[in-house]
Amino acid sequence: MIQVIQAQNVGLAYLEERFDLRLAENEIFFTEWLDKLPEITVLEKQSLDKVKFHFLRLVKHPPLSEETVKLVVLSPLLSLAGFYDEPFFIRSEQSIEISAEDKGEIVRGRIDVLVIQEQLWLLVIEAKKPSFSLLETIPQALTYMLANPHPEKPVFGLVTNGSHFIFLKLAKENIVKYAMSDEFTLLKRENELYKVLSILKNLSEILS
């Protein structure tokens, strides 16, 4: 009998056991969030300052939904990074199903935002409401990244609850490995959306 598991109920231990997923120990594995990041223009900084202001203003009037996070924070970031333009396409609420070989289990879920190029999965984005911990979101995003129909290609991820952001990378070498960036937050005086956008722009340039 096949057991169906919802992606939001999956943890890292499950992924490591069922899919032989391993955390990359070599920092060279994921340098795309660190090296040769493009500059952010003055106009882009002004736009990001507005995004931060609008989000923090909304936080004062809870509850905030995942849809609000996508509308107020995520959509402007994707637009500024060029992911609404050629050669990229945005898909939302993309259903996935992935099975653990010989385990009699299927994991199902829906990707919040998927950026593709000619059917190649490039960027998986999982957005949660502000009260949600990113530590709980990371396994869900990695599950979706494991469902990439082109496992020979690396795929990137972004998890956010509107105020915090973590980038992910998953790639198959001898085994499937993943790595995480530092966490960026809007709860600092400095607007760390500048760095988030710079990383997104870097991914846009690399992936195009």
Side-chain angles (χ1 to χ4, degrees), residues 55 63-71 127-130 161:
F55 177 79
L64 263 65
S65 68
E66 296 172 21
E67 291 304 316
T68 302
V69 170
K70 287 189 278 188
L71 180 66
K128 296 296 184 185
K129 55 187 177 182
N161 59 7

Side-chain angles (χ1 to χ4, degrees), residues 148-159:
N148 176 14
H150 302 277
E152 73 281 2
K153 302 286 187 179
V155 61
F156 297 91
L158 170 62
V159 293

Side-chain angles (χ1 to χ4, degrees), residues 16-94:
E16 291 173 355
E17 178 185 353
R18 296 297 197 276
F19 298 96
D20 294 325
L21 183 64
R22 295 292 180 268
L23 179 65
E25 297 180 356
N26 193 331
E27 291 186 1
I28 297 176
F29 177 82
F30 188 16
T31 60
E32 290 87 351
W33 73 275
L34 283 170
D35 293 346
K36 301 177 182 178
L37 298 180
E39 294 291 330
I40 302 299
T41 68
V42 173
L43 288 177
E44 288 170 338
K45 289 181 178 180
Q46 291 173 351
S47 296
L48 295 174
D49 288 342
K50 286 184 178 179
V51 170
K52 179 179 180 179
F53 173 79
H54 290 156
F55 177 79
L56 294 179
R57 177 174 174 268
L58 287 170
V59 168
K60 296 178 183 179
H61 304 278
L64 263 65
S65 68
E66 296 172 21
E67 291 304 316
T68 302
V69 170
K70 287 189 278 188
L71 180 66
V72 176
V73 179
L74 195 52
S75 184
L77 281 170
L78 292 175
S79 179
L80 289 170
F83 283 116
Y84 289 146
D85 303 317
E86 293 286 352
F88 306 112
F89 291 94
I90 298 289
R91 298 285 184 266
S92 62
E93 297 299 323
Q94 185 84 10

Side-chain angles (χ1 to χ4, degrees), residues 45 48-53 56 163-164 183-195:
K45 289 181 178 180
L48 295 174
D49 288 342
K50 286 184 178 179
V51 170
K52 179 179 180 179
F53 173 79
L56 294 179
S163 62
H164 293 73
E183 183 178 51
F184 303 98
T185 176
L186 297 188
L187 306 182
K188 291 183 179 179
R189 292 183 182 178
E190 177 187 357
N191 191 349
E192 293 202 333
L193 285 177
Y194 298 173
K195 188 67 176 292

